[in-house]
């Protein structure tokens, strides 16, 4: 039986300065955003839409604010409001983990809208551009969750080769759900979306595909994760993560329908007023 290694959440400590693994995963996420962004700008249809590598650094600054502020607010409001309002000092303790992807998604949309107003890009063109660069960053965050021994899975059949005991929870074999979400919601989604976005697509198609695929992937992997809480709709019970994924599925379908019923090419920034 596998046992979670429970590594020290602090990767490096020099005197009072402590660098946490969770923070390093976010640095990795932001670094891959820049690296993938440079590759994406080399694609002819992306360059033709007016994207330049100079856009990436400024966009990343806004994106970091959107991810951190939105992700933390989502964790506070969507998942653990009672705890955080009882312990307000922990609201800013992001190094302990606890970031909501759905909150971060909303935060990034707002940040990109603000950045687009300054640089003359429309929101949906920005979302189409950045969508393929998001899943690997998400995967890095889930690896950080695993290192922090967060988000334990539901009980698993002991015969499952990778069933794992989480000593900080109990002695019951469980699914390593952060690894599932890293692989499915992150790496698999990246592969599918990267290949989809390599060819010219109508406006909103890439963003719509991301929203649809992530919502479906997250809805599936939530079956293996211990729910933060569950929501009952008559005889149907779903987890909080599944409930928050349903709007993303609906949004993705709507965006794809609009994109392919009335195809439009992305608008270069110079054409936006």
């Amino acid at each position: 039986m596998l046992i979670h290694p429970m590594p020290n959440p602090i990767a490096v400590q020099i005197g009072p300065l402590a660098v946490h693994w969770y923070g390093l995963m976010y640095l990795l996420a932001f670094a891959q955003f820049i690296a993938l962004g440079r590759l994406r700008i080399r694609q002819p249809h992306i360059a033709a839409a007016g994207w330049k590598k100079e856009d990436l650094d400024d966009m990343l600054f806004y994106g970091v604010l959107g991810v951190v502020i939105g992700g933390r607010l989502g964790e506070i409001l969507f998942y653990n409001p009672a705890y955080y309002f009882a312990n307000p000092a922990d609201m800013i303790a992001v190094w302990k983990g606890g970031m909501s992807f759905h909150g971060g998604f909303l935060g990034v949309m707002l940040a990109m809208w603000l950045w687009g107003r300054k640089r003359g890009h429309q929101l949906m063109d920005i979302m189409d551009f950045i969508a393929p660069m998001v899943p690997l960053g998400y995967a890095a965050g889930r690896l950080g969750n695993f290192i922090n021994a967060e988000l334990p899975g539901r009980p698993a059949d002991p015969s499952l080769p990778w069933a794992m005991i989480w000593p900080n929870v109990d002695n019951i074999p469980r699914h390593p759900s952060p690894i599932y979400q890293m692989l499915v919601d992150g790496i698999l989604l990246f592969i599918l979306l990267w290949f989809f976005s390599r060819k010219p697509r109508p406006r909103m198609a890439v963003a719509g595909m991301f929203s649809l695929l992530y919502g479906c992937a997250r809805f599936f992997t939530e079956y293996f994760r211990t729910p933060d809480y569950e929501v009952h709709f008559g005889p149907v019970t779903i987890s909080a993560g599944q409930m928050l994924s349903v709007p993303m599925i609906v949004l993705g379908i709507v965006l794809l329908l609009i994109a392919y019923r009335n195809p439009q090419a992305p608008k270069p920034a110079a054409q936006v007023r």
Side-chain angles (χ1 to χ4, degrees):
M1 180 66 60
L2 297 176
I3 299 177
H4 191 291
M6 302 295 293
N8 188 335
I10 298 176
V12 179
Q13 184 155 11
I14 304 174
L17 177 63
V19 180
H20 291 71
W21 284 108
Y22 198 74
L24 289 178
M25 291 302 103
Y26 270 81
L27 287 178
L28 177 62
F30 300 140
Q32 68 82 35
F33 178 89
I34 293 293
L36 290 177
R38 291 182 181 274
L39 288 176
R40 189 146 165 73
I41 286 170
R42 294 178 187 172
Q43 297 170 346
H45 64 288
I46 298 299
W51 291 100
K52 300 178 178 62
K53 63 181 181 181
E54 291 78 16
D55 293 326
L56 289 171
D57 294 340
D58 197 27
M59 184 189 299
L60 179 62
F61 173 75
Y62 280 77
V64 168
L65 292 178
V67 167
V68 175
I69 296 174
R72 195 59 173 174
L73 286 176
E75 174 70 14
I76 293 169
L77 299 176
F78 297 159
Y79 290 100
N80 292 301
Y83 170 80
Y84 283 107
F85 284 113
N87 301 274
D90 280 352
M91 290 184 180
I92 60 173
V94 295
W95 56 87
K96 295 182 180 180
M99 299 285 280
S100 161
F101 175 83
H102 299 93
F105 178 76
L106 294 174
V108 167
M109 288 191 68
L110 176 59
M112 292 301 97
W113 175 75
L114 292 171
W115 180 83
R117 288 190 65 187
K118 183 179 77 168
R119 298 298 291 265
H121 283 284
Q122 292 189 355
L123 176 61
M124 291 314 305
D125 292 329
I126 300 171
M127 300 307 290
D128 281 338
F129 174 67
I130 68 172
M133 290 115 74
V134 171
L136 284 187
Y138 172 89
R142 285 296 179 239
L143 180 57
N145 291 137
F146 181 76
I147 293 172
N148 272 6
E150 298 175 323
L151 313 182
R154 298 176 191 259
D157 189 325
S159 65
L160 186 70
W162 52 84
M164 179 178 291
I165 291 175
W166 297 59
N168 61 325
V169 179
D170 52 32
N171 291 318
I172 298 174
R174 295 179 176 274
H175 291 280
S177 58
I179 301 299
Y180 292 0
Q181 294 189 314
M182 178 187 74
L183 295 174
V184 178
D185 308 1
I187 295 174
L188 177 60
L189 179 56
F190 164 73
I191 294 170
L192 295 175
L193 202 61
W194 187 262
F195 278 98
F196 178 77
S197 65
R198 289 181 66 185
K199 295 181 179 180
R201 304 291 179 182
R203 292 184 74 237
M204 297 185 277
V206 177
M209 186 62 72
F210 168 81
S211 187
L212 173 61
L213 291 180
Y214 176 81
C216 291
R218 179 68 182 269
F219 197 95
F220 168 71
T221 55
E222 279 284 323
Y223 281 112
F224 303 98
R225 170 178 160 177
T226 299
D228 298 272
Y229 59 88
E230 293 183 313
V231 183
H232 304 280
F233 297 97
V236 178
T237 300
I238 62 175
S239 71
Q242 289 173 319
M243 178 185 67
L244 293 170
S245 295
V246 170
M248 293 195 69
I249 296 172
V250 173
L251 175 63
I253 293 172
V254 170
L255 291 178
L256 286 168
L257 287 174
I258 295 173
Y260 283 100
R261 285 185 176 181
N262 184 27
Q264 297 179 16
K267 294 182 180 180
Q271 296 182 14
V272 179
R273 296 290 183 265

